[in-house]
Amino acid sequence: MNFKHKYFFLFPGLFVLIGILIFPIIFVVRLSLSGWNSYNPGLDYIGLENYIRLFTDDPRFWESFFRLSFLSVTTVILQYVIGFALAHMVWKDIKFKRFFRVLFLVPMMTTPVIMTVIWRTFFHESLGPVNDLLSVFGVAPKWLTDPVIAKFTVIIVEVWQWTPFMFLLLLAGLLSLPKEPFLAAAIDGASPVRKFIYVTFPLMAPISIGAIIIRLIEASKIMDTVYVLTSGGPGTSTETSSFYIFIKGLREFQMGYAASMSFTYLIIMIISLTIIAKVLTKVLLKD
Amino acid sequence: MDLVANNLSYKPDDQYHLNEVSFNFKEGNLYTILGRTLSGKTTLLKTIAGLLTPDSGEIKFDGKNFLKIPVWERNVAMVYQQFINYPHLNVFENIAFPLKQRKIDQSIIKEKVMDALKSVGLLGYENRKIQELSGGQQQRVSLARSLVKNAKILLLDEPLVNLDYKLREQLREEFKNLFSKGLADETILIYSTTDPRETMELNGEVIVLDEGKVLQVGPAKEIFENPNSLKVAEISNDPPMNIIEAKILDNHIRFEGIDVEAPQHLSKLTEDGLKIGLRSSDIELGENGHEFEVELAEISGSETLLHLKRGDTKIIVSIEEVLNFKIHDKVKINFKIDRAYAFHADGKLASSPFGGLNG
């Protein structure tokens, strides 16, 4: 259709898109080619210097990146398994089904930052209730100050906070499944366990892939939990990419360098999530 | 190995879905459950399969309490009226599904699936997706899936009802061939339907079910010739048998000013409230007949169904050709009165032209 004023009507949407998405990305790319820092603010041009520094002289970025990969993959797997189990549980006709459905969603309704503060209090080594209880068994793990245990503390909090989201998506998926194949499967001789493996799980594959990808995108931005819980510590043992970029950019004010990290990070995420989505589709849908 | 049920009852709400149903099914036989919609046919089949647990009563198979055995160990197969298959599997995997639940060698599975595909006429379709098949083909897949496991009990729940006319005829023919091919040597075949014609064609033992109650059991021919009540006569005829309130006096049947000589098997019935039953096919158009007014004429396939009225009496006549009538046309009809049934006021059979309860 050729309509004279069509661009006029497109403009408001286009304006917002350019303003909040296209312009920032282009600006970040330009910024990453500059040496903008607190001594030297401004968009000068230093070529690929920031990228060379990132790829040759900054192991901390790559450590934080691999730490992030570990944290996000682990939390998403746990969220998926626990979320699926809970959804499957309240999918069947059990007592107090509605009560449990609401109960399992409560963490999602809370404010993550505030809940993380509460978790930090819980896990406080000498004053927190967790170690109070554990002292009965004579143990007192250093939840927040041991480099290894602190990673798992972050995982626990992340899983607690975001499993409900997974639960919600998977429950919606389960409720939308056709009932008939399950009738057929029972008669075809499938025990409940086999019914799950051969019918429920494959039927849920498309929804599972969607849920996992959404959560992976979200989880790869882990920031608030780390910020509040451990501030990346002890040392850098729970520091994630976004937190490191935050430190470089907004604490040390190396804007140009932080922009180059952000852009590199964006490219890596796009590539790896595409690969993950492809692999999941191939494995789960056999397509 | 017999399948025996005693007094099965199931009442999930204020209505009986099954009401004291008992039967004794023997292996190698075909049983047809005939009943209108909501008569409890599906409930009965689901109970046999184990998808429903009755409130009371027992089912025994081979002498063992069947109700204690979970569905997946019962060795039954079922074809539903909706075409139920596994949407995430292709045709081959669908049919192989029941076999994969047991530890069976891949090569044997392949052989059996191919056999089943062949017997339902779907060879060459094994890699198709289920959604790509037509309704008739989908139903064939679920039939193949039920055949492949060699179940001792094969349940078919109105398998043809959701198919179009042509396909239904064709599949019904195939069913007949399959059933007669000795598939049923060790199998108890239970087939439920609302269609009396299907029942007659399958020619098995018929159980007439209504509102969860068994009304009559017997060979198809017997049900057709000697229905034991008005209800059965209605259920086992399509269109339902015409019921005329009449009086028999001095060897004459009288209703709406019509007077016909009573045939011998009806002549001795003189009680009040007698009802005469006459099949729509036992009434014909004729020059010297009794005048009726046309209320509706519908053409169904190659026959015409005439809904006629005279006074308070309404009847349906089926004519084996396509004729055009207008509403309020007058037609003349004759009754093949020697094929008339008589029922008592309470609905029980009084007399049938085939010798049931004569006199």
Side-chain angles (χ1 to χ4, degrees):
Chain A
M1 193 174 65
N2 210 347
F3 178 49
K4 257 204 249 169
H5 309 297
K6 61 185 173 188
Y7 295 108
F8 177 75
F9 288 105
L10 270 177
F11 190 70
L14 207 62
F15 182 76
V16 172
L17 194 69
I18 291 173
I20 66 170
L21 212 65
I22 315 254
F23 171 73
I25 289 180
I26 293 171
F27 187 74
V28 163
V29 174
R30 175 63 189 86
L31 190 58
S32 71
L33 302 175
S34 78
W36 190 330
N37 60 27
S38 46
Y39 314 112
N40 213 349
L43 278 178
D44 56 350
Y45 181 77
I46 58 165
L48 293 174
E49 207 172 287
N50 283 328
Y51 288 96
I52 293 164
R53 177 177 160 203
L54 176 62
F55 281 92
T56 56
D57 197 27
D58 194 358
R60 191 169 159 192
F61 176 78
W62 299 104
E63 276 165 23
S64 72
F65 180 76
F66 288 118
R67 198 174 296 124
L68 173 75
S69 310
F70 166 74
L71 286 177
S72 54
V73 169
T74 318
T75 53
V76 170
I77 290 174
L78 284 172
Q79 285 163 11
Y80 180 70
V81 172
I82 300 171
F84 207 138
L86 293 178
H88 198 270
M89 198 176 107
V90 296
W91 175 46
K92 299 280 172 61
D93 273 320
I94 58 157
K95 273 189 182 172
F96 309 116
K97 184 166 72 179
R98 278 166 192 285
F99 170 74
F100 283 119
R101 280 184 190 176
V102 175
L103 181 74
F104 294 153
L105 289 181
V106 167
M108 213 173 83
M109 299 172 201
T110 60
T111 314
V113 173
I114 294 171
M115 281 322 293
T116 314
V117 172
I118 294 172
W119 277 108
R120 193 178 62 191
T121 320
F122 266 30
F123 283 126
H124 194 281
E125 265 137 54
S126 47
L127 306 170
V130 174
N131 276 1
D132 247 13
L133 286 175
L134 286 178
S135 66
V136 176
F137 305 102
V139 284
K142 293 179 175 165
W143 292 107
L144 301 172
T145 50
D146 183 282
V148 178
I149 297 177
K151 283 191 191 66
F152 289 96
T153 311
V154 172
I155 290 174
I156 291 172
V157 175
E158 275 289 309
V159 168
W160 181 86
Q161 187 76 48
W162 293 111
T163 297
F165 182 77
M166 196 65 111
F167 163 81
L168 196 65
L169 284 181
L170 294 173
L171 181 62
L174 283 170
L175 290 173
S176 71
L177 292 184
K179 287 210 171 62
E180 292 82 9
F182 296 95
L183 292 178
I187 289 187
D188 282 345
S191 61
V193 176
R194 294 182 140 256
K195 204 153 76 178
F196 179 82
I197 297 171
Y198 290 105
V199 184
T200 317
F201 190 71
L203 283 177
M204 283 292 286
I207 294 153
S208 299
I209 294 169
I212 289 173
I213 295 295
I214 292 175
R215 277 309 306 149
L216 271 179
I217 292 172
E218 290 275 314
S220 63
K221 297 183 298 196
I222 299 179
M223 159 85 202
D224 44 0
T225 314
V226 170
Y227 183 79
V228 176
L229 206 61
T230 61
S231 296
T236 59
S237 65
T238 57
E239 190 173 272
T240 61
S241 300
S242 33
F243 191 58
Y244 180 53
I245 295 171
F246 163 77
I247 290 172
K248 279 283 174 241
L250 296 174
R251 281 218 184 125
E252 299 177 8
F253 220 70
Q254 303 185 23
M255 294 302 272
Y257 187 53
S260 72
M261 289 198 289
S262 290
F263 191 65
T264 309
Y265 171 75
L266 179 72
I267 300 293
I268 294 175
M269 276 337 275
I270 290 174
I271 293 172
S272 54
L273 282 172
T274 311
I275 293 171
I276 290 172
K278 283 253 157 70
V279 169
L280 281 177
T281 315
K282 199 149 213 148
V283 172
L284 290 179
L285 288 179
K286 294 181 205 126
D287 261 352
Chain B
M1 283 192 271
D2 295 356
L3 181 69
V4 184
N6 285 319
N7 301 324
L8 289 176
S9 287
Y10 183 63
K11 195 182 180 188
D13 36 56
D14 52 353
Q15 250 183 342
Y16 277 105
H17 290 205
L18 293 177
N19 188 354
E20 306 270 302
V21 173
S22 301
F23 54 75
N24 187 349
F25 291 164
K26 293 190 162 48
E27 67 177 359
N29 285 339
L30 165 65
Y31 296 89
T32 317
I33 297 170
L34 177 64
R36 292 180 285 208
T37 40
L38 295 178
S39 63
K41 302 185 297 293
T42 303
T43 311
L44 181 58
L45 296 192
K46 280 188 171 174
T47 310
I48 296 172
L51 296 170
L52 281 178
T53 312
D55 296 335
S56 61
E58 56 168 14
I59 305 180
K60 280 191 169 165
F61 181 63
D62 198 16
K64 281 178 231 137
N65 185 352
F66 216 33
L67 294 177
K68 287 248 171 79
I69 304 171
V71 194
W72 58 93
E73 285 171 12
R74 283 199 191 189
N75 198 11
V76 294
M78 187 158 175
V79 177
Y80 297 83
Q81 65 180 80
Q82 316 90 328
F83 326 120
I84 297 187
N85 288 300
Y86 303 106
H88 59 289
L89 302 175
N90 67 22
V91 172
F92 182 93
E93 291 164 329
N94 254 282
I95 300 173
F97 190 94
L99 298 174
K100 283 205 177 132
Q101 303 312 311
R102 311 171 190 175
K103 292 201 171 61
I104 296 178
D105 208 57
Q106 279 296 332
S107 59
I108 297 173
I109 290 184
K110 183 151 193 203
E111 195 180 310
K112 286 193 167 183
V113 172
M114 286 306 173
D115 274 355
L117 274 169
K118 204 168 156 195
S119 62
V120 297
L122 280 182
L123 265 186
Y125 285 81
E126 50 270 22
N127 292 324
R128 294 283 193 95
K129 280 189 177 162
I130 284 295
Q131 296 91 321
E132 292 170 358
L133 302 182
S134 69
Q137 289 167 332
Q138 289 187 26
Q139 192 63 317
R140 279 170 217 239
V141 171
S142 56
L143 179 66
R145 214 179 64 231
S146 70
L147 292 176
V148 79
K149 65 188 276 204
N150 271 331
K152 293 276 182 243
I153 300 170
L154 177 53
L155 307 165
L156 299 127
D157 185 16
E158 298 186 53
L160 304 179
V161 77
N162 282 340
L163 298 173
D164 62 64
Y165 177 76
K166 254 244 160 78
L167 264 172
R168 201 180 312 161
E169 299 280 295
Q170 192 187 338
L171 260 184
R172 188 189 299 158
E173 205 54 39
E174 286 174 22
F175 275 168
K176 254 167 54 189
N177 290 338
L178 268 174
F179 297 163
S180 60
K181 241 189 244 160
L183 153 88
D185 269 0
E186 299 173 329
T187 312
I188 299 172
L189 229 108
I190 307 171
Y191 187 106
S192 88
T193 178
T194 52
D195 185 355
R197 214 165 300 170
E198 226 165 272
T199 316
M200 297 308 146
E201 268 178 41
L202 290 170
N203 198 20
E205 187 90 353
V206 179
I207 293 96
V208 183
L209 205 61
D210 191 62
E211 293 178 349
K213 235 178 152 56
V214 177
L215 296 183
Q216 190 173 357
V217 182
K221 192 163 174 276
E222 172 69 18
I223 301 278
F224 189 70
E225 291 183 346
N226 290 315
N228 66 8
S229 64
L230 255 177
K231 266 257 170 72
V232 176
E234 273 172 29
I235 296 169
S236 63
N237 286 285
D238 181 37
M241 192 183 269
N242 292 305
I243 305 299
I244 303 163
E245 309 238 358
K247 237 179 147 43
I248 300 180
L249 217 72
D250 302 331
N251 240 350
H252 281 259
I253 304 175
R254 298 197 168 108
F255 63 98
E256 303 293 350
I258 294 171
D259 190 329
V260 275
E261 197 174 336
Q264 223 206 326
H265 69 278
L266 298 182
S267 57
K268 288 185 191 135
L269 298 162
T270 51
E271 67 195 68
D272 276 340
L274 205 65
K275 294 186 175 92
I276 303 294
L278 201 55
R279 291 207 168 85
S280 60
S281 55
D282 290 338
I283 305 175
E284 50 188 8
L285 295 175
E287 281 299 309
N288 317 317
H290 312 283
E291 199 178 77
F292 276 73
E293 188 187 320
V294 176
E295 280 206 305
L296 177 72
E298 45 179 337
I299 293 164
S300 131
S302 59
E303 59 171 22
T304 310
L305 290 179
L306 274 181
H307 296 241
L308 303 176
K309 192 177 135 179
R310 175 173 172 136
D312 292 332
T313 305
K314 294 183 178 184
I315 58 173
I316 301 175
V317 179
S318 56
I319 303 159
E320 284 293 326
E321 54 187 310
V322 177
L323 296 172
N324 279 314
F325 288 96
K326 286 202 192 84
I327 294 175
H328 304 309
D329 275 358
K330 302 275 191 254
V331 292
K332 290 193 168 167
I333 53 170
N334 282 316
F335 304 100
K336 293 183 185 166
I337 204 69
D338 55 325
R339 310 191 60 158
Y341 291 76
F343 298 94
H344 295 298
D346 64 357
K348 289 245 160 55
L349 181 69
S351 177
S352 96
F354 298 95
L357 302 168
N358 237 341

